[in-house]
Amino acid sequence: MSPFLRSADDDPVRPRLEAPIRVVVDGVPVEALPGQTVAAALLAAGRDSWRRTRAGGRPRGVFCGIGACFDCLVTVDGIPDVRACQRVLTDGDAITSQSGVTLPRPSERAGDGRSPLLRGGFGPIDDKSRGRVDDELRGRVDDKSRGRVDDRLKGGAGGVDVVVVGAGPAGMGAALAAADAGVEVLLVDAAPGIGGQFHRQLPEEFHAERPESVQHEWRRFADLRRRIEQHERISHLAETSVWAIEPVAGTDGMRASGAEVHRLRLQTGPADAPGRRMSTVDTRALVLATGAYDRVLPFPGWELPGVYAAGAAQALAKGQRIAVGKRVLVAGTGPFLLPVAESLVGVGAEVVGLLEANRPAGVVRGWLTDLSVATGKIREAAGYAALLAERRIPLRYGRAVIAAHGTDRVDAVTVARLDRDWQPLPGSERRIEVDAVCLGFGFTAQLELAVSARCELGIGPDGGPAVVVDTHQRTTAPGVFAAGELTGIGGADLAAAEGRVAGAAAASAAHQLSHEAIDPADRRAIAKGKRFAQALAKAYPIKPGWQSWSTGTTLVCRCEEVSRDDVRDAVADRDVLGTRSLRLSTRAGLGLCQGRICSRTVAELAAAYRPAIRADHAAGARRPIVVPVRLRDLAETPEPADSEEDL
């Protein structure tokens, strides 16, 4: 029972928790807190795994923590394939572990032919579930916005001037800039509240008296959130996923303008629930601010429960007050490891060490390439250094975790010193007992919607895929703008500045103006932010020696359980010349996460075996449906002209 919920008695956020609710986990009654996710409740109960994989029967639990990896699937009230890290519990929920492929259980009312989940009788959505969906939907739009959103989403008729997808730093900046320019804005986000991963907050049900204690720059964020909530031209649609984008001729109100119009397919309601409300909205100008997720490099045992992406550990700590373990090791590369360690300490975990794979000389050389952009981070770094010293957390450079050990969960790791290329130095291996390890090797942009909108991709400062934009944040797709980590990993300040420029440019495009009212200060902030991104990539590069950490039997695709030898054999025995053919040959990237976690890793490993292989950065994101949609919901999605429902 290594994961735990921090006691409210001495928690610096000073939560005032509501009375517990009752849920049932695998037939056993369990108390949970209002506002907790399924994953948080299970972890608080001491469980860190609740699913077995289809092929190998391997245990799985939380890994990415933001819904990208699909490792943490459970069955909720008879409905399988619910991401535990995304679904918020309600009183009376029945949670069941999943093993392999699970079909919805037969409905007791299947004979009436009207089961809401599937006409053939699988399901069901009972009265409790249906009522909960309706209740949840009422809270997705505030009173100020509800009437306006209702009008906009009636099958997409009329449309919205500007739609912003993503409510993190870039999305917040874009929405405010566009609305201040005089256009109507719809801000769409999958989370319950504004802020994104960077400004992750506690559930309202926790009633935190001091939320600023776990949030950097809280006052600035709180001011932005207040402005968005009170802005008369911004409507915020929460817990809403965009599952498809398509170009259309436009609605009657837009067709005459001749502008490019995009139709967004939306689903609103509790994460992965059946019966989510389906709707469409048309827009002249679309701003994509979908952010990024952690990159984790494979080694033997990295698929064990208790091995987390660094962002997952921070999300659970900041957003649910869950510590992923009592003895936790943080490892990888980059400055993000520091706030992760801070968050773990904040929920009572013992951080036994922080391992930075790059050597100090290389880190310093990287920052010295543009010292002016690094000076602003000195005070922040000093604060983290003081925390490490106070807690006696050793910071070791040139070291990495190269193996995790355990049967059904991690109980120890092997760490080693690395040479300049990240090859482990023989004889330097050391075994450390831990009950959790948190890993972060930078980030990968969430490209699915950008690819669906036919935006051209390029290479970001860190070598990963990024959307190509011009100085106005315009992509190569007419009427589509991009901002934030989607255009290259560069941090929250750069994302916010790009968002403001994208919002202003989108407002001008919606009104077909020839120029944008862009603040010169934002131009300067973007220029500085891009220099920071370049220096960051040089200070914390990913070295090719990481490929030596894995063995032939190491899984490189977690979903389809594809090993490194499987990739090697496909390259050696078949005429594989591209990422797409590699996916079809090995099934790597064809599983639940659709390559979000493994596509970069598999492409780089394959290229090491055959340099002629070309990495197609869109291969893992080129699909018409970009997020999971229940088949019943998909089948009953009305076309705009036929829609009779609204939100």
Side-chain angles (χ1 to χ4, degrees):
M1 297 178 60
S2 56
F4 62 93
L5 172 71
R6 170 150 193 172
S7 170
D9 296 337
D10 60 351
D11 194 327
V13 304
R14 296 178 187 170
R16 291 177 289 112
L17 302 176
E18 299 178 4
I21 60 176
R22 301 278 290 184
V23 299
V24 177
V25 179
D26 289 331
V28 179
V30 173
E31 285 192 347
L33 296 175
Q36 273 188 327
T37 62
V38 175
L42 292 172
L43 290 166
R47 293 188 59 172
D48 49 20
S49 66
W50 45 82
R51 183 175 78 88
R52 293 276 172 174
T53 60
R54 173 177 55 85
R58 294 179 173 89
R60 291 283 194 273
V62 172
F63 176 64
C64 77
I66 62 170
C69 73
F70 294 80
D71 260 9
C72 64
L73 296 180
V74 292
T75 297
V76 179
D77 295 334
I79 306 301
D81 300 331
V82 175
R83 289 169 292 177
C85 68
Q86 299 298 292
R87 183 64 167 269
V88 177
L89 284 167
T90 60
D91 194 29
D93 277 341
I95 312 300
T96 308
S97 302
Q98 267 192 224
S99 180
V101 177
T102 303
L103 294 176
R105 66 189 179 194
S107 168
E108 294 178 357
R109 298 188 298 272
D112 64 12
R114 292 177 295 173
S115 174
L117 179 62
L118 197 65
R119 296 304 182 192
F122 289 99
I125 306 177
D126 55 24
D127 293 337
K128 165 181 173 285
S129 300
R130 174 64 67 186
R132 188 171 68 232
V133 170
D134 291 341
D135 290 342
E136 289 286 336
L137 287 171
R138 294 189 188 102
R140 302 288 68 82
V141 186
D142 56 45
D143 293 336
K144 168 186 75 70
S145 304
R146 185 170 292 111
R148 219 167 37 243
V149 172
D150 285 350
D151 292 339
R152 297 296 188 271
L153 297 184
K154 286 184 178 179
V160 180
D161 292 328
V162 174
V163 174
V164 179
V165 182
M172 290 190 296
L176 282 169
D180 288 344
V183 302
E184 291 289 327
V185 177
L186 178 63
L187 177 61
V188 178
D189 192 69
I194 294 169
Q197 303 301 330
F198 186 79
H199 294 296
R200 182 178 286 272
Q201 304 136 66
L202 287 166
E204 292 181 2
E205 294 88 345
F206 279 36
H207 305 290
E209 294 182 3
R210 297 187 65 248
E212 69 278 4
S213 65
V214 295
Q215 181 69 265
H216 291 283
E217 301 179 350
W218 172 261
R219 290 185 179 179
R220 185 167 71 172
F221 161 66
D223 179 64
L224 288 173
R225 183 178 61 181
R226 177 188 55 78
R227 288 176 58 199
I228 290 172
E229 291 172 345
Q230 297 178 359
H231 206 297
E232 62 180 5
R233 286 187 291 274
I234 298 178
S235 302
H236 174 219
L237 195 55
E239 278 193 0
T240 299
S241 301
V242 181
W243 59 268
I245 298 175
E246 54 190 315
V248 295
T251 60
D252 290 339
M254 293 184 176
R255 191 176 293 125
S257 69
E260 183 83 13
V261 175
H262 285 83
R263 175 164 295 159
L264 279 67
R265 305 279 184 170
L266 311 176
Q267 53 177 344
T268 303
D272 299 332
R276 299 183 82 193
R277 191 65 58 87
M278 311 298 281
S279 59
T280 62
V281 62
D282 293 349
T283 184
R284 293 188 182 95
L286 171 64
V287 179
L288 299 177
T290 49
Y293 48 85
D294 294 83
R295 186 183 186 192
V296 178
L297 302 175
F299 50 74
W302 76 304
E303 74 278 8
L304 283 170
V307 178
Y308 298 87
Q314 188 184 58
L316 286 163
K318 290 176 63 175
Q320 296 284 321
R321 307 309 285 158
I322 294 289
V324 294
K326 294 182 174 64
R327 285 178 52 84
V328 186
L329 182 67
V330 179
T333 189
F336 179 57
L337 302 180
L338 294 168
V340 170
E342 178 189 50
S343 296
L344 288 166
V345 168
V347 287
E350 177 191 358
V351 179
V352 299
L354 195 158
L355 307 183
E356 165 58 57
N358 281 294
R359 294 184 172 189
V363 173
V364 171
R365 281 196 303 270
W367 287 122
L368 287 177
T369 60
D370 197 337
L371 188 57
S372 63
V373 300
T375 53
K377 297 292 182 179
I378 292 178
R379 179 182 298 180
E380 183 178 341
Y384 289 125
L387 172 70
L388 296 180
E390 177 186 354
R391 296 285 177 162
R392 297 183 179 179
I393 300 172
L395 170 59
R396 308 295 188 195
Y397 285 89
R399 289 172 172 80
V401 175
I402 61 170
H405 311 286
T407 304
D408 286 337
R409 67 171 323 279
V410 66
D411 54 37
V413 294
T414 295
V415 304
R417 292 175 55 205
L418 307 177
D419 65 15
R420 296 181 185 276
D421 291 326
W422 288 15
Q423 295 274 358
L425 294 173
S428 68
E429 298 86 352
R430 176 188 171 201
R431 189 179 176 107
I432 301 176
E433 292 186 1
V434 298
D435 49 35
V437 56
C438 306
L439 305 164
F441 293 87
F443 301 91
T444 298
Q446 298 212 71
L447 297 169
E448 291 81 13
L449 288 178
V451 172
S452 182
R454 300 177 177 84
C455 301
E456 180 183 343
L457 302 184
I459 302 299
D462 65 344
V467 177
V468 174
V469 294
D470 64 11
T471 56
H472 298 272
Q473 303 302 128
R474 287 187 291 249
T475 72
T476 55
V480 181
F481 302 78
E485 310 290 39
L486 198 60
T487 68
I489 308 302
D493 291 340
L494 173 59
E498 287 188 340
R500 292 189 293 269
V501 170
S508 296
H511 284 174
Q512 293 189 289
L513 302 178
S514 58
H515 64 280
E516 297 88 3
I518 295 175
D519 189 339
D522 289 332
R523 296 285 194 204
R524 293 192 294 270
I526 289 176
K528 182 178 181 180
K530 288 185 178 298
R531 295 202 316 272
F532 173 80
Q534 293 285 350
L536 180 70
K538 292 175 182 176
Y540 300 99
I542 304 296
K543 301 293 185 65
W546 68 264
Q547 298 182 19
S548 66
W549 304 349
S550 57
T551 66
T553 59
T554 300
L555 298 186
V556 294
C557 171
R558 298 169 66 95
C559 299
E560 291 297 298
E561 299 176 272
V562 178
S563 71
R564 179 170 176 164
D565 274 351
D566 293 332
V567 174
R568 183 202 61 194
D569 293 345
V571 172
D573 299 340
R574 304 177 182 90
D575 190 20
V576 174
L577 294 176
T579 307
R580 178 178 173 79
S581 58
L582 184 63
R583 284 162 59 88
L584 296 174
S585 298
T586 65
R587 293 198 57 81
L590 295 181
L592 294 164
C593 88
Q594 289 288 284
R596 291 177 178 89
I597 304 301
C598 71
S599 58
R600 287 179 71 180
T601 294
V602 170
E604 291 182 18
L605 287 171
Y609 294 127
R610 180 178 290 186
I613 289 180
R614 300 179 302 277
D616 179 1
H617 294 300
R622 189 182 290 115
R623 49 190 176 272
I625 298 177
V626 301
V627 295
V629 181
R630 297 281 175 185
L631 287 178
R632 183 264 185 180
D633 297 336
L634 186 63
E636 295 191 357
T637 300
E639 287 303 309
D642 301 326
S643 177
E644 296 179 357
E645 294 187 74
D646 56 26
L647 288 177

